[in-house]
Amino acid sequence: MAKVPLVDVQAQYGALEEELDAALKRVCRSGQFALGPEVEQFERSWAAYCEAEHCAGVSSGTAALHLGLLALGIGEGDEVITSPMSFFATVAAILYTGARPVFADIAPATCCMDATGLAELVTERTRAVLPVHLFGQPADMDPILAVARRKGLAVIEDACQAHGALYKGRKVGALGDVGAFSFYPTKNLSAFGEAGAVVTNDPELHARVRMLRNHGQDGRYRHALLGYNYRMDGLQGAVLNVKLKHLDRWNERRRRIAERYGAAFASTAVRPVGEAPYARSSWHVYVVRCDDRDALQAHLTEAGIATGIHYPVPVSHQEAMATCGVPRPSVPEAERMAREVLSLPLYPEMSDEQVEYVIETVQGFFSDAG
Ligand SMILES: Cc1ncc(COP(=O)(O)O)c(C=O)c1O
């Protein structure tokens, strides 16, 4: 067992055990296991938290992306421009609709979509742009939104890693037409299993998402559309209602750790992926870039510090993309990033001693090497 894990998914249960147990019991006693009042309460709270008009609770972040795209009318023959650096779910959701992902390279400072050159990727088939707020760092939305408005494209934000992140003082998620969140157990706000949400300010998109997540029903056993079983569980809604009250405090602790790391690493050869001047990150993952990444990772592993690589291969270069007939794009910044990135432990329950141990071990790697 690592002395410092990358994340600790049990810690929050320990801290909130009584309240969580009571919430779970409430659902078990009510029998409202699929959607129901706990999910409805969470939808109201999450919409308010995201400064959005509407929220629909769904079964995962992947489902949220899929439904967001479907609600926008995206399907067979369409193109959606996205980032090559993300979890695979981003492109899977595009492919599920029958549309084709097209890749804009990343901006090296944020590792999010670079809007320079975005307009040149637009064809007569392009219907939407799907930026990803990677690691909790908001993508630079204004130039993306400007291209989208000029070219008549929809914007769907993948905010699955960015709960509570701010872009120019505004919460991410409803900056475009629709936003997708994941509450997977490792996320800043996490369920006891799989869950997600779609947020929007558009009442029609919201109504379509609500129907599509529930087999296209617009009334009991009245199926107006071909939809899916993408409902959020009542138990997950109950867990999220308890945890949401703590999200800002947890994000603040993440920020303090990130700031401590950033200050300490300034004198080393690692280059942290930091906040853009316009942004307030949710610090979902703390990522550094390092020319000698594999050796640094081995050094940390040896010292009992767990690390991750998000991500070792751009999604555009995954084998599955070739099997789906998606041509490999030229995205040199994403390729470089895949060779250089290393994720260090960062979670709210991390002790100051653990943080200092990670810092000393990283610094030790460079003094040993020097
Ligand atoms: C950027 C990104 N997009 C989409 C997803 C998919 O979310 P989920 O695992 O809840 O389906 C994730 C989470 O794993 C993610 O990190």
Side-chain angles (χ1 to χ4, degrees):
M1 180 47 187
K3 286 187 198 159
V4 190
L6 190 58
V7 292
D8 183 347
V9 294
Q10 290 108 316
Q12 291 179 354
Y13 181 62
L16 303 173
E17 189 168 341
E18 252 179 56
E19 215 185 333
L20 285 165
D21 285 357
L24 292 169
K25 261 198 189 144
R26 234 179 9 253
V27 177
C28 294
R29 292 216 171 101
S30 75
Q32 301 210 267
F33 292 112
L35 298 175
E38 292 282 347
V39 172
E40 285 163 22
Q41 186 192 322
F42 177 69
E43 289 172 335
R44 285 190 296 274
S45 308
W46 190 243
Y49 184 85
C50 296
E51 300 161 2
E53 292 293 323
H54 308 283
C55 168
V58 297
S59 53
S60 70
T62 309
L65 286 165
H66 187 193
L67 293 187
L69 290 161
L70 290 175
L72 287 163
I74 287 156
E76 205 68 42
D78 294 335
E79 290 176 0
V80 177
I81 303 174
T82 191
S83 169
M85 264 301 167
S86 186
F87 179 59
F88 193 75
T90 311
V91 284
I94 297 169
L95 290 163
Y96 295 161
T97 68
R100 199 174 72 107
V102 172
F103 296 95
D105 206 353
I106 55 155
T110 58
C111 296
C112 295
M113 177 186 283
D114 186 353
T116 325
L118 185 60
E120 283 93 272
L121 294 171
V122 176
T123 70
E124 72 276 7
R125 290 171 177 266
T126 311
R127 296 287 312 280
V129 186
L130 200 174
V132 182
H133 304 307
L134 195 67
F135 311 142
Q137 310 283 349
D140 192 2
M141 291 300 290
D142 279 349
I144 293 171
L145 288 165
V147 173
R149 298 298 173 246
R150 205 166 66 241
K151 302 274 186 185
L153 310 174
V155 174
I156 167 163
E157 291 171 73
D158 184 336
C160 287
Q161 302 188 356
H163 312 76
L166 299 180
Y167 177 73
K168 299 188 179 172
R170 293 168 62 202
K171 291 266 172 65
V172 302
L175 300 171
D177 296 288
V178 58
F181 287 92
S182 164
F183 305 112
Y184 183 75
T186 56
K187 299 294 194 247
N188 290 36
L189 179 64
S190 60
F192 279 1
E194 309 283 349
V198 182
V199 297
T200 182
N201 290 321
D202 182 329
E204 282 174 26
L205 284 177
H206 176 60
R208 274 208 289 284
V209 168
R210 282 173 59 88
M211 280 167 70
L212 287 165
R213 76 172 171 184
N214 197 10
H215 281 301
Q217 292 181 84
D218 62 359
R220 197 160 172 76
Y221 302 127
R222 284 163 42 102
H223 301 266
L225 297 168
L226 176 63
Y228 297 81
N229 177 359
Y230 279 169
R231 296 176 294 251
M232 183 188 275
D233 287 343
L235 289 166
Q236 305 305 352
V239 168
L240 292 167
N241 282 325
V242 172
K243 288 191 176 188
L244 177 54
K245 290 175 274 184
H246 304 275
L247 176 60
D248 282 340
R249 180 169 57 83
W250 288 331
N251 277 354
E252 203 44 48
R253 172 69 183 152
R254 286 176 181 272
R255 161 170 302 278
R256 277 203 295 280
I257 297 169
E259 282 171 355
R260 176 74 192 108
Y261 276 161
F265 296 149
S267 57
T268 71
V270 298
R271 304 180 300 283
V273 177
E275 276 173 335
Y278 58 70
R280 198 171 160 88
S281 173
S282 66
W283 294 108
H284 174 56
V285 194
Y286 190 86
V287 176
V288 295
R289 301 179 70 143
C290 179
D291 297 335
D292 213 357
R293 187 266 311 276
D294 294 345
L296 175 60
Q297 183 175 40
H299 177 80
L300 291 163
T301 306
E302 180 83 359
I305 296 169
T307 56
I309 295 176
H310 300 98
Y311 296 89
V313 180
V315 283
S316 51
H317 294 20
Q318 293 284 351
E319 213 179 314
M321 299 304 282
T323 66
C324 293
V326 179
R328 182 181 281 223
S330 166
V331 284
E333 289 300 344
E335 284 168 25
R336 192 155 71 87
M337 177 187 160
R339 289 192 299 273
E340 292 180 358
V341 284
L342 186 67
S343 307
L344 302 180
L346 176 67
Y347 51 93
E349 299 78 13
M350 227 178 140
S351 69
D352 288 343
E353 291 70 30
Q354 287 175 309
V355 174
E356 294 308 316
Y357 180 60
V358 174
I359 290 170
E360 282 157 29
T361 312
V362 171
Q363 287 170 337
F365 173 74
F366 291 103
S367 51
D368 292 354

